[in-house]
């Protein structure tokens, strides 16, 4: 017996020693693993991936970019029932334990032993453990990883509050369909904020993280319903979170989750894409997932007006050229109902408000079609009248056509539909603030869904006659003025290689000697060619580049005078701002500010701005005899853009003159310092030249190629039409109120728009419709002639008339001196002379 007790004591001693050794080994293991565990304090400052948001200038959403949908929420924003649904689904004792569930861990370890760690087993992971794994650990199934997870969970519980851990879980968890976090999940599956979720919806969402890809309510509705009804809702009832009545009501609710994207409040997809590219260029690819909030310069109302104007203008153009046989077809299965037919259009996007529809037949003068949602329409009468064809000749069964829903006459009226088609032409519209260059509206094409190519910024097309104001401006810098006479007559240019070029006016007629104002109003090509020849191509290219154009893009020959340069609509609009703002070169911009996820402003635009009255611009105080003295020279790229002094050498235009005294001198104003913080834009041209060209473009609308714009009934508008050979491009660029707007219409394949599709017919109506809306509440701008100009009277032939009674012109002071010198020299022109062809050699 004594021997037994000795053995027992020895055994117990061995067990005790082994126990101590085990405890020491365990402690050493815990210490070693704990030392390698990450610092959980970083979770207090973790930056979850969040999309980049793009807004209009008033804060309305234009677009979102990023790989993940995530809208981080604070625990104070999570309703009690939503919390309870997740506790019931994942960890009912979350607020009682210290990071681990002993019973669950024991069960999980036993299953791992049984499977040898080769199979995934469920159970054991508390919410805290799941957060630890999501942020710090891999998805490996092993004792080592599980042990690290447990230790890390306990460490998190010691250093973070329960709500902090729960918030991390709710914001980090993946809910399928690129939705990360409960905020994004509620938005995507139900289109609701968290505080509007019902019990059945909260329970459905709580069941997703377990099987985010294969068990979400869209991918596998039945599996999601079973997890909701058979596990989560009963657990909520068992835990006392809901009553029996609430349980029964939630179970009876049908599964109704559906994809919901965060609503886009301002349709400006081309602008959103411009912002995406610009932000990546500034901050790198990761910028799309860092929760930046970008506010643009886009005006929502103007953007909507621009979209409507472009769509309506292209529709009007397309209807002029008649119905085209549909080229897209689908095969309608035998016995298919309308719903099945509609599903054939699942990959066909809506474009420009035009819905795709499948033709199912024609009978009784009506074309029968089915929309993507399975709705059936019968189009007849006014709905197809514009095609001038009977229904049976429009399309055959299986053809895919487009239909447009018409505005309802009254809210109670049944919706009306019209047959339509995607236009063959495209259009771009750019509208800038003339003083700052801020982009207020931009349309890059008929439909971003149909083609993401941004014609406003990427399409380089010939501007035709809309380029002429730039040529006239630099000619005025060289001594010409609106009253200068240039011959409109046939001319031949022979190059050294023997090539002959005979430029022509549109229509083939010639008007002989004419004032430059009339030449621009009537868009005379031959006057532009002679004008460019007079000032020199090299000089003109360098000077026109001051409007923001790349000099290399300007043709090094006389064809430049006819607008043969390849320019984007945005660059043309930029150049026109100089005419509207008094000669300043603005730089187009569209990002107003950038804020990070915490609301801190990391960028604020300070654009160069036109400032006509600022120091060093224009003229100083008047000198003796009422003649202003020139201010200090203004240098831009080596060009002296300050006003020339009287008697300075200049190119000698041909003109008829008679000595006259100026009727009026423009008022002098002492220059003032720019406002604090204002970045003054550089001058592109002499402000007096800007005033002259602006007044000439005003006449283009009053009595020239753009008289249709008189319908706007404003005195502060002006612009210039543009067309190119074979009607490939149609343009109108102009100003009004605070805006400069350019419209281009053409085809992506460079084919003709059709005979007669000039700028005044294809592009001007779009400009008018947009500007009518844009200027609705804008006061008219009264522009006074800048200092250093005199008002004179001239005859139709450009001759100075003593006193008043002739045609009024404002000319630069030094130009008047030149006109008087020419009058004394006896320069004259014969308005009745018959134009004859002249020939010049080009070397």
């Amino acid at each position: 017996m004594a021997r037994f007790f000795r053995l027992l004591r020895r055994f117990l001693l061995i067990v005790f020693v082994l126990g101590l050794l085990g405890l020491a080994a365990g402690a050493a293991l815990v210490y070693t693993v704990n030392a390698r565990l990450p610092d959980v304090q970083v979770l207090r400052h973790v930056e979850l991936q969040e999309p980049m948001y793009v807004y209009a200038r008033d804060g309305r959403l234009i677009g979102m970019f990023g790989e993940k949908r995530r809208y981080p929420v604070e625990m104070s924003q999570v309703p009690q029932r939503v919390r309870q649904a997740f506790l019931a689904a994942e960890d009912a004792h979350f607020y009682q334990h210290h990071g681990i569930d002993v019973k669950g861990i024991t069960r999980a370890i036993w299953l791992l032993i049984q499977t040898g760690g080769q199979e995934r087993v469920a159970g054991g992971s508390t919410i805290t453990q799941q957060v630890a794994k999501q942020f710090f650990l891999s998805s490996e199934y092993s004792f080592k990883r599980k042990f690290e997870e447990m230790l890390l969970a306990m460490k998190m519980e010691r250093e973070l509050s329960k709500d902090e851990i729960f918030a991390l879980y709710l914001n980090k968890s993946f809910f399928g369909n690129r939705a990360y976090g409960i905020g994004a999940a509620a938005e995507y599956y139900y289109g609701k904020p968290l505080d509007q979720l019902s019990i059945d919806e909260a329970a459905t969402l709580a069941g997703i993280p377990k099987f985010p890809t294969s068990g979400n309510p869209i991918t596998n509705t039945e599996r999601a319903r079973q997890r909701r009804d058979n596990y989560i809702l009963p657990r909520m009832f068992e835990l006392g979170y809901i009553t029996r009545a609430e349980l029964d009501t939630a179970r009876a609710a049908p599964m109704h989750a559906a994809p919901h994207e965060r609503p886009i409040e301002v349709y400006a997809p081309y602008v959103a894409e411009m912002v995406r590219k610009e932000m990546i260029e500034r901050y790198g690819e990761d910028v799309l997932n860092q929760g930046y909030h970008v506010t643009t310069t886009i005006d929502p109302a103007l953007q909507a007006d621009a979209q409507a104007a472009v769509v309506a203008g292209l529709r009007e153009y397309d209807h002029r050229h008649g119905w085209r046989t549909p080229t897209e077809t689908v095969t309608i299965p035998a016995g298919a109902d309308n719903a099945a037919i509609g599903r054939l259009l699942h990959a066909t996007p809506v474009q420009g408000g035009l819905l795709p529809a499948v033709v199912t037949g024609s009978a009784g003068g009506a074309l029968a079609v089915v929309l993507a949602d399975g709705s059936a329409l019968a189009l007849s009468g006014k709905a197809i009248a514009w095609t001038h064809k009977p229904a049976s000749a429009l399309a055959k069964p299986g053809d895919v056509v487009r239909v447009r829903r018409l505005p309802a006459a009254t809210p109670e009226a049944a919706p009306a539909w019209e047959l339509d088609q995607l236009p063959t032409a495209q259009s771009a519209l750019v509208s800038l603030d003339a003083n700052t260059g801020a982009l207020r509206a931009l349309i890059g094409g008929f439909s971003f869904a149909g083609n993401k190519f941004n014609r406003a910024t990427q399409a380089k097309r010939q501007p035709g006659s809309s380029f002429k104001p730039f040529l006239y401006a630099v000619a005025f810098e060289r001594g010409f003025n609106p009253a200068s006479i240039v011959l409109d007559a046939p001319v031949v240019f022979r190059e050294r290689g023997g090539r002959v070029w005979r430029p022509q006016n549109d229509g083939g007629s010639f008007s002989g000697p004419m004032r430059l104002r009339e030449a621009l109003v009537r868009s005379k090509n031959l006057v532009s060619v002679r004008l460019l020849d007079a000032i020199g191509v090299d000089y003109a290219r360098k000077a026109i580049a001051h409007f923001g154009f790349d000099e290399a893009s300007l043709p090094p020959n006389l064809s430049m005078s006819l607008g043969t340069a390849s320019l984007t609509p945005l660059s043309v609009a930029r150049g026109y701002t100089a005419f509207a703002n008094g000669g300043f070169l603005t730089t187009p911009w569209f990002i107003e500010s950038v804020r990070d996820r915490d609301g801190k402003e990391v960028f604020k635009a300070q654009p160069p701005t036109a400032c006509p009255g600022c120091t060093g611009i224009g003229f100083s105080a008047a000198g003796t005899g009422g003649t202003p003295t020139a201010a200090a020279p203004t240098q831009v790229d080596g060009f002296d853009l300050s006003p020339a002094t009287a008697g300075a050498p200049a190119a000698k235009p041909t003109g008829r003159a008679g000595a006259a005294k100026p009727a009026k001198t423009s008022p002098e104003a002492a220059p003032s310092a720019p406002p604090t913080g204002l970045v003054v834009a550089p001058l592109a041209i002499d402000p007096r030249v800007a005033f002259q060209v602006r007044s000439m473009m005003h006449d283009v609308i009053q009595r020239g190629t753009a008289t249709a714009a008189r319908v706007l009934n404003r005195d502060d508008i002006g612009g210039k039409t543009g067309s190119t050979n074979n009607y490939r491009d149609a343009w109108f660029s102009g100003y009004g109120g605070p805006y400069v707007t350019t419209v281009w219409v053409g085809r992506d394949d460079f084919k003709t728009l059709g005979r007669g599709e000039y700028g005044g017919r294809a592009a001007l109506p779009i400009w008018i419709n947009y500007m009518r809306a844009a200027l609705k509440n804008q006061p008219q701008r009264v522009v006074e002639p800048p200092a250093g100009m005199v008002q004179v009277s001239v005859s139709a032939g450009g001759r100075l008339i003593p006193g008043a009674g002739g045609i009024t012109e404002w000319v630069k002071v030094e130009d008047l001196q030149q006109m008087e010198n020419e009058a004394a020299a006896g320069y004259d022109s014969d308005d009745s002379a018959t134009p004859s062809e002249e020939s010049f050699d080009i070397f």
Side-chain angles (χ1 to χ4, degrees):
M1 190 64 147
R3 185 171 180 272
F4 170 77
F5 282 110
R6 285 196 302 273
L7 291 173
L8 179 61
R9 285 196 300 271
R10 187 176 297 172
F11 173 76
L12 291 175
L13 181 61
I14 292 172
V15 170
F16 179 72
V17 172
L18 289 175
L20 288 176
L21 292 174
L23 287 174
L29 178 62
V30 170
Y31 177 80
T32 302
V33 174
N34 245 329
R36 295 200 305 264
L37 292 178
D39 180 8
V40 299
Q41 288 298 323
V42 300
L43 294 177
R44 281 203 166 101
H45 310 287
V46 68
E47 291 189 353
L48 299 170
Q49 286 190 338
E50 187 179 350
M52 182 180 76
Y53 307 86
V54 182
Y55 305 99
R57 66 188 302 203
D58 68 347
R60 284 190 276 174
L61 187 67
I62 288 178
M64 292 188 302
F65 296 95
E67 298 176 0
K68 300 178 179 180
R69 300 181 179 93
R70 178 182 274 126
Y71 318 131
V73 297
E74 302 288 342
M75 280 304 292
S76 60
Q77 299 173 284
V78 183
Q80 185 70 14
R81 286 295 171 80
V82 175
R83 300 188 193 195
Q84 292 171 341
F86 280 89
L87 292 173
E90 296 292 339
D91 189 356
H93 303 293
F94 171 71
Y95 282 97
Q96 287 77 47
H97 62 61
H98 298 288
I100 61 173
D101 181 349
V102 176
K103 291 175 61 177
I105 289 290
T106 303
R107 182 173 62 252
I109 292 175
W110 176 247
L111 290 174
L112 277 173
I113 294 172
Q114 287 184 319
T115 62
Q118 300 301 309
E119 296 181 15
R120 293 174 178 264
V121 297
S125 289
T126 63
I127 284 178
T128 310
Q129 287 176 261
Q130 292 183 56
V131 172
K133 182 173 66 174
Q134 289 172 341
F135 281 94
F136 298 118
L137 303 175
S138 70
S139 298
E140 174 192 2
Y141 273 72
S142 66
F143 286 111
K144 177 178 177 294
R145 204 275 297 159
K146 199 70 176 179
F147 187 56
E148 291 176 340
E149 180 185 293
M150 293 165 56
L151 293 179
L152 187 55
M154 289 187 288
K155 185 177 180 181
M156 290 172 58
E157 292 273 353
R158 290 193 301 270
E159 300 186 30
L160 302 177
S161 71
K162 285 287 187 180
D163 278 357
E164 285 178 317
I165 295 171
F166 203 177
L168 288 168
Y169 171 77
L170 292 176
N171 284 314
K172 179 71 172 179
S173 295
F174 178 45
F175 287 81
N177 293 295
R178 292 177 46 232
Y180 289 79
I182 183 63
E187 178 70 48
Y188 180 75
Y189 289 106
Y190 297 110
K192 296 179 178 180
L194 290 177
D195 60 0
Q196 294 182 18
L197 291 175
S198 60
I199 294 175
D200 65 282
E201 292 168 343
T204 301
L205 293 180
I208 298 176
K210 195 79 170 179
F211 311 103
T213 301
S214 61
N216 70 69
I218 293 177
T219 303
N220 193 329
T221 304
E222 182 57 26
R223 185 174 186 179
R225 186 194 64 77
Q226 289 180 2
R227 182 160 170 77
R228 182 195 74 175
D229 293 351
N230 299 339
Y231 177 65
I232 298 175
L233 288 173
R235 282 286 289 161
M236 292 180 72
F237 174 68
E238 291 171 12
L239 294 167
Y241 296 155
I242 58 176
T243 65
R244 169 63 69 177
E246 289 173 326
L247 169 65
D248 295 339
T249 300
R251 272 180 163 173
M255 298 295 287
H256 56 279
H260 293 80
E261 298 290 351
R262 184 171 177 177
I264 299 300
E265 298 166 299
V266 178
Y267 183 73
Y270 290 101
V271 176
E273 177 62 13
M274 289 166 62
V275 171
R276 185 190 71 84
K277 291 180 178 179
E278 179 69 17
M279 288 295 289
I280 289 175
E281 185 175 335
R282 291 187 189 184
Y283 302 104
E285 289 283 350
D286 290 343
V287 73
L288 303 183
N289 295 306
Q290 294 176 355
Y292 280 99
H293 296 259
V294 184
T295 300
T296 69
T297 60
I298 293 298
D299 184 301
L302 298 185
Q303 181 68 23
D305 294 334
Q307 178 70 23
V310 166
V311 169
L314 288 178
R315 180 185 304 117
E316 182 181 341
Y317 159 81
D318 204 66
H319 285 195
R320 282 200 299 269
H321 294 270
W323 175 256
R324 300 184 305 277
T325 302
T327 57
E328 184 182 353
T329 62
V330 296
T331 301
I332 302 176
D337 60 11
N338 287 344
I341 295 173
R343 285 194 290 272
L344 298 174
L345 298 170
H346 74 279
T348 306
V350 176
Q351 295 190 44
L354 302 184
L355 281 64
V358 178
V359 176
T360 57
S362 59
L367 188 69
V369 302
V370 173
L371 303 180
D373 64 359
S375 302
L377 303 175
L379 305 174
S380 61
K382 292 182 178 179
I384 62 174
W386 71 268
T387 68
H388 304 293
K389 292 179 178 292
S392 58
L394 294 172
K396 62 182 184 300
D399 283 344
V400 176
V401 297
R402 296 279 171 165
V403 296
R404 179 172 67 99
R405 184 169 181 168
L406 302 176
T410 64
E412 300 78 18
W417 297 83
E418 181 182 68
L419 181 66
D420 217 319
Q421 61 188 359
L422 297 178
T424 57
Q426 286 289 346
S427 180
L429 182 150
V430 177
S431 189
L432 302 175
D433 183 298
N435 288 329
T436 67
L439 185 66
R440 297 306 183 203
L442 182 143
I443 307 297
F446 181 75
S447 167
F448 186 79
N451 192 325
K452 295 175 174 55
F453 180 65
N454 189 342
R455 295 155 191 86
T457 62
Q458 296 175 293
K460 294 186 176 181
R461 307 294 291 244
Q462 293 182 349
S465 294
S466 65
F467 184 79
K468 290 176 181 176
F470 303 119
L471 171 61
Y472 278 63
V474 299
F476 292 171
E477 295 274 8
R478 295 285 276 181
F480 287 87
N481 64 72
S484 297
I485 297 297
V486 175
L487 186 63
D488 177 34
V491 62
V492 176
F493 294 95
R494 294 184 177 86
E495 296 180 355
R496 180 172 293 169
R499 180 176 175 269
V500 174
W501 180 47
R502 283 187 172 87
Q504 298 290 323
N505 286 328
D506 182 62
S509 62
F510 308 101
S511 301
M514 63 190 312
R515 289 176 294 116
L516 288 181
R517 176 178 292 274
E518 286 303 304
L520 185 66
V521 167
R522 297 163 62 183
S523 199
K524 291 292 187 176
N525 288 342
L526 291 173
V527 170
S528 297
V529 174
R530 291 175 184 271
L531 192 61
L532 177 56
D533 189 42
I535 65 176
V537 172
D538 290 341
Y539 168 82
R541 292 178 74 223
K542 289 181 174 65
I544 292 175
H546 293 157
F547 287 93
F549 303 117
D550 179 6
E551 185 179 336
S553 69
L554 304 176
N557 52 58
L558 293 175
S559 72
M560 180 178 66
S561 62
L562 306 183
T564 57
S566 294
L567 306 173
T568 64
L570 179 61
S571 68
V572 173
R574 179 194 189 188
Y576 267 70
T577 61
F579 302 127
N581 66 29
F584 294 86
L585 175 64
T586 64
T587 299
W589 57 288
F590 50 89
I591 295 181
E592 176 75 48
S593 65
V594 179
R595 296 181 181 274
D596 63 17
R597 68 175 77 230
D598 298 320
K600 179 183 178 183
E601 189 172 78
V602 298
F603 169 79
K604 178 67 176 178
Q606 288 185 304
T609 301
C611 186
C614 294
T615 301
I617 298 172
F619 285 77
S620 63
T624 59
T627 303
T629 58
T634 302
Q635 295 286 331
V636 178
D637 295 339
F639 279 75
D640 185 358
L641 297 182
S642 59
T645 57
K652 183 178 70 175
T654 301
R656 175 196 299 174
K661 295 295 182 183
K664 183 179 180 182
T665 302
S666 55
E668 301 300 331
S672 60
T676 302
L678 180 70
V679 180
V680 180
L683 278 174
I685 49 173
D686 187 324
R688 301 171 299 171
V689 169
F691 177 83
Q692 290 173 320
V693 177
R694 178 187 175 105
S695 73
M696 293 165 68
M697 288 197 288
H698 175 71
D699 277 1
V700 171
I701 286 179
Q702 296 304 310
R703 54 190 179 82
T705 57
T707 54
R710 288 190 300 182
V711 69
L712 297 179
N713 194 31
R714 291 181 69 104
D715 291 328
D716 63 341
I717 59 174
K720 185 68 184 75
T721 53
S723 306
T724 60
N725 288 343
N726 201 27
Y727 310 102
R728 290 191 182 95
D729 301 277
W731 296 74
F732 189 82
S733 290
Y735 58 85
Y739 308 118
V740 164
T741 302
T742 290
V743 174
W744 166 84
V745 177
R747 292 182 55 159
D748 288 342
D749 58 9
F750 288 84
K751 291 183 179 179
T752 180
L753 289 169
R755 185 168 182 80
E757 296 292 350
Y758 296 100
R761 191 182 192 200
L764 180 58
I766 297 175
W767 189 89
I768 292 172
N769 286 337
Y770 168 74
M771 292 296 277
R772 177 187 288 114
L775 299 177
K776 184 176 181 180
N777 297 315
Q778 292 288 342
Q780 298 211 34
R781 287 192 164 189
V782 178
V783 179
E784 298 293 341
M789 301 191 77
V790 292
Q791 188 183 62
V792 298
S793 295
V794 299
S795 69
R799 179 174 57 84
L800 281 172
I801 298 176
I807 299 169
T808 299
E809 286 288 1
W810 283 93
V811 299
K812 303 196 296 290
V813 170
E814 59 270 29
D815 291 344
L816 175 63
Q817 181 67 55
Q818 180 174 285
M819 294 169 73
E820 291 173 341
N821 292 341
E822 290 168 354
Y827 288 111
D828 201 356
S829 65
D830 184 359
D831 292 346
S832 64
T834 302
S836 60
E837 184 174 90
E838 296 182 274
S839 179
F840 298 89
D841 291 328
I842 304 176
F843 297 104

